[in-house]
Amino acid sequence: MVDVTTGVVMTEEMIKASQVGMKAIGAGMAVGLTGIGTGLAEMSIGAAAVGAAAENKDMFGLALLFTVIPETIVIFGLVVALLLLF
Amino acid sequence: MLAPERMSRLMVVASKEQMEPVISELYRNHVFHIEDFVDSGTEDYQGFHIGHPLSDASEISGQLLKLRAIENAFSIDREKIEATKSEQAALRKRIEEELPSIETNVEGLMTRRSALDNSIKDCQQKIEALTPFLTLPVPLELLRSYDTMSVHAGYVAHNVELAAPAEVWYQPSKAGNFIVLVTPANQKDEVEKALAASQYTSFPIPVENGTASERKAGYEGQIQILEGELKEVNDKLGQVKKEQEGFLVACEELLHADVEQSEAPLRFATTNLAFIAEGWVPSDSVEKVTAALNRVTNGKVLVSKLEFDPTRDAVPVEYHNPSFSKPTELLMDVYSRPKYSEIDPTLFVSIVFPLFFGLILGDIGYGLILLALSLGLMRFLKGEEATMFIKVLRNASISSIIFGVLFSEFLGFSMPWQPILFSRHLNIGGEASAHGSAIPQLMVLAIWIGILHITLGRVLGMINHARMDHGSHRTKSILANFGWILTMWGILVMIWAFFPIPLMPDLTKLPLVAGLNPAILVGAVMVIAGIVFIARENVLDVIEVPTIVSHVLSYARLVAVGLSSVALAMVINYISIGMMIQPRLVELHPINILIVVMGGFVFLLGHTMNTALGVLGGGLHSIRLQYVEFFTKFYKGGGVKYSPFGMKRQFTED
């Protein structure tokens, strides 16, 4: 097979290696992007939750609960990454 | 188990003469949760009003206040004092005889200490004011009390050039360029203009006699003397603290108890001649309390049980759990205490939380580290909550060790045996994958756990609604919970009909009925029936149906977080041992030895970090699965804490 951009002939091994690389990149993106998503979501929830807990200590449990709800997004990312890699 | 301690509502009625013995007996028994009387003017309570404190209340409060001031000054930590119990009567005598003299002594010392502190601060301020003038070789008294001259002192950006005749002393330095100017008073305006042009900031001229450096030395000498005296006073205070610490905390406990007792009538309903105290007592201590009250009043008291509605009345809640799930009550209180009439899920949490923790951090090495840590902390931390927390950690780490054996893992290395449960050994560094990993199977296992956990939650929800609701709403909400279970399992059956999944029933090969897999049909019927049941209670809840999928998938974190911790451990091992230590062990010369030592350091640091991350990940994610995925299915919470009248005595006894 010939790579169009460089004109280098790719052997089967190279193709396999590049597939592994692509998988790794995909896994990295799955974790990284979902991490950003979770971070964005937790940013405002966390700030509000800390505020609420500072006002009233009984809110702590509920505040923690609200804060970790978006965590699921990054866990899904992690699951996808693990399934991709192994 | 699964329900809070059974409570009874008691009403105590007696004449006012019996108030003191009744109060002190209730206090001693420490089981009566007083329900505060609120003077709402309802018909039932006409003629009743809130009681007055016993006669000596304000006097004792005053004493207690003074005592607490002393304790604050000493910063006494009650938890660090060894509890030796002193007898109450002897203690009262000592309070009368010794406490006043201790108080005056300490107060005197405290006043002396703050006076010394102030003098030291004074001297330090004076030294600060003198600092810029230190280089000036002129005595400071020459800089003031002129009629025809004006003196300026301060920092400038650069030297000032003046047309007027002037005596100038200029000293450039890092802090700023210090200038002292003496000019005729009638040319003040011109001088000030010139100074302003060179960004002049003025200093007040210290009212001192002699050169600045002499004066500074003088003040420093003074500070030294004052500090010596301060140390002496502090030593004396320290000695008093050491001698009287135990006595003071015992006094505080006794006086605190006295104050609480003398203020108790504020929570009772009283008439001119009698009083009524209402409250809650664990059902099994009712007889004991009744007998005790009858004994101290010679039978001149009426104690009767009142009827109550367990779902409507704010019954105080005391946990009633087997001893191994006691520490988990801490995790429950963080969320919310259960209501009296609902199921108390502490038992489930106390079993499932360590299981989840072990599943996430299943590693013999980390488990042992955490176990050692919790056993060590148990010696140092004394508070009730701290002990509970450490016990939770201990149980979790034991579970972690057990799962470590099942997973055959030790700090990321594989143990000599094959993993009994599915292997989590990843292919990192090309050599660590001794057993090969079984990630899909692990994921399915986590999903199974999720399905069962959520089903359990819904079943508990059905029981709770059956207990707490009434009328048609009751049937609807029970059916709605059943509907959620049906929908979840219906979706599952349909998935099984389409895809073969390891560890799950394979329904793809069922004989077709009318060209359709019967499992699809069954699943669809279950989903539709479930949604109908949900909608009957509240149509808007149908929007929430997708959460069935997301909540079940959320349990995948049990494996995902665990695997990330395994991967980190393996990476640490590979970097420290595979890359730094092993290749250098072939030939030992200084550089190699250095790198081997560094490798050891990386190993230690990495695993310390991974342990911390493991506790955080394992702990937070396991508890989150309880709070978010499990509790939202059935748990309301918001129960009132049972806090009986009286106290746990630490330092006093009868």
Side-chain angles (χ1 to χ4, degrees):
Chain A
M1 190 194 256
V2 179
D3 190 317
V4 192
T5 47
T6 54
V8 176
V9 182
M10 290 179 81
T11 63
E12 206 166 308
E13 264 173 45
M14 285 164 82
I15 293 173
K16 267 187 188 159
S18 84
Q19 276 174 347
V20 172
M22 286 297 182
K23 266 186 176 179
I25 291 175
M29 281 170 68
V31 176
L33 293 177
T34 49
I36 292 174
T38 300
L40 285 176
E42 278 185 1
M43 178 171 63
S44 41
I45 300 177
V50 169
E55 287 274 328
N56 177 3
K57 228 184 139 205
D58 296 342
M59 286 289 294
F60 178 79
L62 212 57
L64 184 75
L65 197 154
F66 286 146
T67 315
V68 295
I69 283 176
E71 200 113 301
T72 313
I73 308 169
V74 74
I75 298 290
F76 288 165
L78 195 56
V79 170
V80 169
L82 285 168
L83 288 177
L84 269 179
L85 278 182
F86 301 105
Chain B
M1 235 188 292
L2 297 184
E5 186 86 46
R6 296 293 95 191
M7 290 282 168
S8 295
R9 186 170 184 156
L10 281 195
M11 182 172 74
V12 179
V13 187
S15 71
K16 269 193 174 166
E17 287 106 67
Q18 307 299 338
M19 190 126 95
E20 261 193 74
V22 166
I23 289 175
S24 75
E25 190 58 25
L26 287 178
Y27 199 84
R28 213 176 56 80
N29 274 300
H30 194 206
V31 286
F32 191 71
H33 176 106
I34 301 179
E35 187 145 307
D36 291 8
F37 169 67
V38 185
D39 202 351
S40 55
T42 48
E43 243 171 68
D44 303 357
Y45 282 95
Q46 238 165 34
F48 285 100
H49 36 82
I50 293 173
H52 297 290
L54 300 181
S55 53
D56 48 356
S58 60
E59 192 191 322
I60 305 173
S61 307
Q63 262 183 330
L64 187 61
L65 215 62
K66 264 194 208 162
L67 194 67
R68 289 211 170 129
I70 297 179
E71 285 190 344
N72 261 339
F74 284 155
S75 51
I76 288 176
D77 188 354
R78 304 174 66 95
E79 276 165 18
K80 284 201 183 127
I81 298 174
E82 271 195 37
T84 46
K85 298 203 169 179
S86 27
E87 210 184 312
Q88 274 193 22
L91 199 60
R92 275 185 210 286
K93 212 172 149 203
R94 268 187 82 186
I95 288 180
E96 264 176 40
E97 285 166 3
E98 291 175 36
L99 196 58
S101 71
I102 293 175
E103 274 171 3
T104 29
N105 185 13
V106 173
E107 264 169 41
L109 287 171
M110 300 285 298
T111 335
R112 179 94 190 99
R113 184 164 77 173
S114 58
L116 286 171
D117 270 336
N118 283 341
S119 317
I120 290 175
K121 257 183 216 142
D122 246 22
C123 288
Q124 279 165 344
Q125 272 169 5
K126 282 189 176 147
I127 289 177
E128 209 164 292
L130 282 169
T131 315
F133 295 86
L134 282 179
T135 46
L136 189 70
V138 187
L140 291 166
E141 67 263 28
L142 294 183
L143 296 183
R144 55 171 197 269
S145 339
Y146 294 114
D147 292 332
T148 55
M149 303 281 188
S150 63
V151 182
H152 299 269
Y155 284 147
V156 284
H158 48 81
N159 205 348
V160 189
E161 295 194 4
L162 285 174
E167 235 1 276
V168 182
W169 191 79
Y170 181 73
Q171 174 81 34
S173 78
K174 251 190 201 163
N177 305 324
F178 187 59
I179 195 167
V180 178
L181 271 182
V182 185
T183 52
N186 52 11
Q187 290 180 4
K188 206 177 166 192
D189 287 351
E190 193 191 322
V191 173
E192 274 173 5
K193 218 181 270 172
L195 283 172
S198 54
Q199 297 161 22
Y200 167 76
T201 43
S202 84
F203 290 135
I205 293 163
V207 188
E208 306 273 1
N209 294 328
T211 61
S213 46
E214 278 168 25
R215 294 305 303 142
K216 189 187 167 193
Y219 283 128
E220 276 170 351
Q222 255 182 38
I223 288 182
Q224 229 167 29
I225 296 169
L226 289 171
E227 272 174 351
E229 280 179 51
L230 187 66
K231 190 173 170 287
E232 216 171 282
V233 173
N234 276 335
D235 284 350
K236 267 188 203 164
L237 277 172
Q239 206 182 349
V240 176
K241 176 183 172 180
K242 213 166 137 196
E243 281 167 8
Q244 308 292 356
E245 204 172 41
F247 173 55
L248 288 175
V249 287
C251 279
E252 197 209 320
E253 191 172 292
L254 187 67
L255 289 177
H256 179 74
D258 285 352
V259 167
E260 275 201 333
Q261 289 179 47
S262 54
E263 283 176 354
L266 290 171
R267 310 167 72 182
F268 296 164
T270 59
T271 63
N272 291 337
L273 295 172
F275 75 94
I276 300 179
E278 270 185 46
W280 303 90
V281 171
S283 296
D284 49 12
S285 352
V286 170
E287 274 174 34
K288 201 184 91 190
V289 174
T290 317
L293 287 177
N294 274 319
R295 199 186 59 238
V296 291
T297 56
N298 292 324
K300 289 178 194 157
V301 68
L302 173 72
V303 183
S304 52
K305 264 201 211 180
L306 299 181
E307 291 291 312
F308 65 97
D309 178 356
T311 47
R312 299 248 169 85
D313 288 334
V315 188
V317 174
E318 171 70 352
Y319 290 108
H320 181 65
N321 286 311
S323 61
F324 81 93
S325 33
K326 281 259 168 232
T328 319
E329 288 163 8
L330 178 76
L331 297 179
M332 294 299 302
D333 275 340
V334 166
Y335 187 85
S336 183
R337 200 169 267 241
K339 279 209 175 92
Y340 183 69
S341 47
E342 75 180 327
I343 289 178
D344 169 14
T346 316
L347 186 69
F348 295 116
V349 177
S350 70
I351 295 170
V352 176
F353 174 79
L355 282 183
F356 282 4
F357 188 92
L359 207 55
I360 290 176
L361 194 75
D363 187 299
I364 303 175
Y366 293 141
L368 284 174
I369 293 174
L370 290 181
L371 188 63
L373 190 75
S374 51
L375 291 181
L377 279 177
M378 213 171 267
R379 290 195 172 180
F380 292 109
L381 296 178
K382 283 282 144 60
E384 199 178 346
E385 286 195 349
T387 324
M388 282 165 96
F389 176 77
I390 292 166
K391 280 186 182 160
V392 170
L393 182 66
R394 183 197 61 194
N395 296 352
S397 58
I398 291 174
S399 153
S400 185
I401 294 175
I402 295 172
F403 273 92
V405 173
L406 294 180
F407 285 134
S408 171
E409 276 173 34
F410 187 92
L411 296 181
F413 298 107
S414 41
M415 299 297 278
W417 59 84
Q418 285 289 322
I420 300 162
L421 217 57
F422 306 105
S423 165
R424 302 201 297 176
H425 301 278
L426 306 170
N427 182 11
I428 287 175
E431 52 187 317
S433 58
H435 307 307
S437 57
I439 295 184
Q441 284 88 337
L442 278 166
M443 292 283 178
V444 176
L445 176 74
I447 299 299
W448 263 125
I449 294 173
I451 293 166
L452 296 179
H453 204 216
I454 287 176
T455 309
L456 174 68
R458 286 290 174 200
V459 170
L460 293 179
M462 284 160 74
I463 299 174
N464 264 346
H465 281 295
R467 276 195 197 170
M468 293 165 74
D469 289 345
H470 303 281
S472 67
H473 180 62
R474 180 164 174 253
T475 339
K476 273 186 190 165
S477 39
I478 294 174
L479 281 180
N481 269 298
F482 183 63
W484 285 102
I485 298 179
L486 266 186
T487 315
M488 183 170 76
W489 285 91
I491 294 174
L492 263 177
V493 169
M494 275 160 73
I495 291 175
W496 291 340
F498 281 111
F499 310 103
I501 299 173
L503 299 181
M504 285 192 172
D506 182 3
L507 302 183
T508 48
K509 309 245 161 49
L510 288 185
L512 299 185
V513 177
L516 201 68
N517 190 330
I520 298 176
L521 212 65
V522 173
V525 170
M526 282 166 82
V527 171
I528 292 168
I531 291 179
V532 169
F533 283 141
I534 297 168
R536 268 177 43 136
E537 196 208 6
N538 185 355
V539 181
L540 285 179
D541 275 356
V542 178
I543 304 171
E544 300 265 315
V545 168
T547 59
I548 293 178
V549 179
S550 70
H551 278 188
V552 171
L553 284 184
S554 184
Y555 282 79
R557 76 183 65 224
L558 287 177
V559 170
V561 177
L563 276 174
S564 63
S565 134
V566 176
L568 259 178
M570 286 179 158
V571 168
I572 294 161
N573 292 343
Y574 180 61
I575 291 176
S576 61
I577 294 174
M579 287 165 73
M580 294 174 85
I581 296 179
Q582 240 167 23
R584 302 283 168 170
L585 282 180
V586 190
E587 196 185 342
L588 287 178
H589 59 77
I591 293 180
N592 279 353
I593 291 176
L594 185 74
I595 291 179
V596 167
V597 171
M598 274 168 62
F601 182 68
V602 169
F603 184 82
L604 283 181
L605 189 77
H607 280 298
T608 315
M609 202 184 68
N610 203 20
T611 314
L613 278 178
V615 176
L616 264 184
L620 268 184
H621 284 290
S622 328
I623 198 62
R624 174 224 138 96
L625 285 176
Q626 315 283 342
Y627 286 171
V628 182
E629 272 79 14
F630 188 48
F631 282 4
T632 47
K633 308 289 181 288
F634 66 98
Y635 189 63
K636 297 261 181 344
V640 185
K641 191 180 173 193
Y642 167 70
S643 53
F645 182 56
M647 68 155 85
K648 239 189 217 163
R649 294 215 210 123
Q650 250 183 309
F651 305 106
T652 55
E653 61 189 359
D654 286 330

